[in-house]
Amino acid sequence: MKKQFIKVVLSCAVIAGSVSSCKNSSSSKNTSRATGWKINAKEGGFQHNTDYKEQETAPGLVFVEGGTFTKGKVQDDVMHDWNNTPTAQHVMSFYMDETEVTNSMYLEYLDYLKSVYPPEDPRYANIYTGALPDTLVWRNRLGFNETMTNNYLRHPAYAEYPVVGVNWIQAVQFAEWRTDRVNEIMLEREGYLSEEAKYKVVNGDIEGTFSTEAYLNRPESVYNGQIDSLQGKMKKDSVSNFASRSTGIILPEYRLPTETEWEYAAAAQVGSREYNNQRGRKKYPWEGDYTRNGQRLGRGDQLANFKQGKGDYGGIAGWSDDGADITAQVKSYKPNDLGLYEMAGNVAEWVADVYRPIVDDEVSDFNYYRGNIYMKTAIGEDGKVNVIRDSIVYDTLPNGKVVAVNLPGELKMVAVDENETYLRTNFSSSDNRGYRDGEPGSSRFYDRFSDDEDGDEKKKMYNSPKHKVQRDSLGAITRNYDKSNYRTTLINDEVRVYKGGSWRDRAYWLDPAQRRYLPQYMATDYIGFRCAMSRVGSKSKTKNKTVRSKKVK
């Protein structure tokens, strides 16, 4: 027994002189468990971030721990839409904005675009104007709302009110801009960028801006190639002048929440332990089956901003039922059990999904989302990723509004091709919006399809109108409306879901399960949005895991 023990000790201590003990080879975070080599050694070798704790909660967001819930209707389907049949779904943990995006937040975005891409510069003529909300949504043929048209977006009295008049495309572009600004300041905080970098961009001292994906893929291209003069203290203190994903500093992108995420967060079943609620029977974001507060403090007060009846948008003057007639200032009502405000009422909210009447849980009951278009970075002749400079691509929407598809400094993206799809079982094309519900193969007329648009095109499952709107070189709009008699629906791949009730809606729409749709280029005075962010790493936060481990003991 003594000889065997000596052999084990020697085998652990004399492996290439790099492993000092069995204990170190398995437990030290700076020693590889795969090879026994040192990690992050001064001499060189494998460099890896071993000090990463967990994802930081980004500005404005609240952590939402994922879980299982029943997605779909709770109340009677009085509209007879039959589009929210209950399905069991599981959601990964994510983050969501505490409130809707406000006028103040959106004006910050507009001011940035106006400073960095001056509208008077012909190259940038449509960037700022394409991001402007449609303030004319407040107009009503038989209503006096002109004050709202002129004041709601910019007057300080409405600064903390949710922004409206923003279409789905504009909401997505705001989230992209927000991602870059937050990661820019994160890199500044960690010393990879100087504090003056962002201000030089806004003040026009340098031409060019920061893009997260451009920084990660081709950092020398950021700030129009002037990043060397804008680096922080890490340029002197670090082997690498640039941060990578492995540093853990770069946050995932801000984006619109998926419909499943939004509904899960609105229901907030985490605060309930009743059997029925755990099975998805929660009617509103708060406990109970009524819209009024049943607690002793504030008893009788309405818990959301919604239309209570014909001609009743707020209540009786002097003791208002919900404290608002149009939208209300964010945080005017109590948050739900996740700490999210106004997940019912105030404004309805855009979500990421393409609308279909049926949720196909046979294909996926995990992070369900319809709308995937898989893209990849375009590679130039020099073997490097393409960065957009002055070749800005604009798109004319069906309502004539011109928006920028890409901003200068961003990476050029192209659809994935057969190199990524060949022999794959999980996806076979770039565009999956119509998978099993909208593409030719899902139609009962599939075997009769041909290139004859006037003939077989009318037999498609979602045979919606196809209007063509273009602008000529002088900016004049040419509109060609689809006048076909064979169109059968308004549903197509450019129609998006919006969730939640608004100040214009009855209590029926406050149910988180209710869903409606609108073309992605349209805006209203009752639809706003909030952003979300995926969580990377553990499902729960560290403090939650600590509490659970103590309970087990």
Side-chain angles (χ1 to χ4, degrees), residues 372-379 412-421 427 429-432:
N372 282 313
I373 301 179
Y374 300 124
M375 308 290 285
K376 64 179 180 179
T377 55
I379 306 298
K412 182 179 180 181
M413 306 296 291
V414 295
V416 298
D417 53 28
E418 61 182 6
N419 291 327
E420 286 78 26
T421 62
F427 70 98
S429 64
S430 170
D431 190 346
N432 296 273

Side-chain angles (χ1 to χ4, degrees), residues 3 44 186 447:
K3 290 181 180 180
M186 296 293 285
D447 59 340

Side-chain angles (χ1 to χ4, degrees), residues 64 67-72 87-92 94 96 255-268 343 351-353 359 364-370 497 499 512 515:
V64 179
T68 299
F69 81 116
T70 301
K71 176 182 177 179
T87 63
Q89 297 285 336
H90 189 92
V91 185
M92 288 184 69
F94 61 101
M96 181 175 274
R255 55 179 174 78
L256 289 182
T258 66
E259 180 182 0
T260 305
E261 288 174 334
W262 193 97
E263 187 172 326
Y264 176 82
M343 293 298 286
V351 295
D353 293 57
V359 174
S364 178
D365 54 7
F366 178 77
N367 275 5
Y368 184 88
Y369 165 64
R370 180 178 290 279
V497 179
K499 300 280 283 185
R515 54 202 301 261

Side-chain angles (χ1 to χ4, degrees), residues 152-166:
Y152 184 79
L153 175 63
R154 298 185 183 276
H155 198 286
Y158 295 115
E160 294 304 311
Y161 283 54
V163 67
V164 296
V166 175

Side-chain angles (χ1 to χ4, degrees), residues 269 271-281 287-288:
Q269 294 175 7
S272 173
R273 290 295 178 266
E274 294 181 17
Y275 173 78
N276 284 339
N277 283 346
Q278 289 289 40
R279 297 296 298 172
R281 301 301 300 174
E287 293 293 335

Side-chain angles (χ1 to χ4, degrees), residues 482-499:
D482 186 348
K483 298 181 180 180
S484 171
N485 294 324
Y486 298 105
R487 303 309 181 195
T488 58
T489 181
L490 294 176
I491 300 173
N492 57 37
D493 291 342
E494 280 72 47
V495 168
R496 302 287 172 168
V497 179
Y498 67 94
K499 300 280 283 185

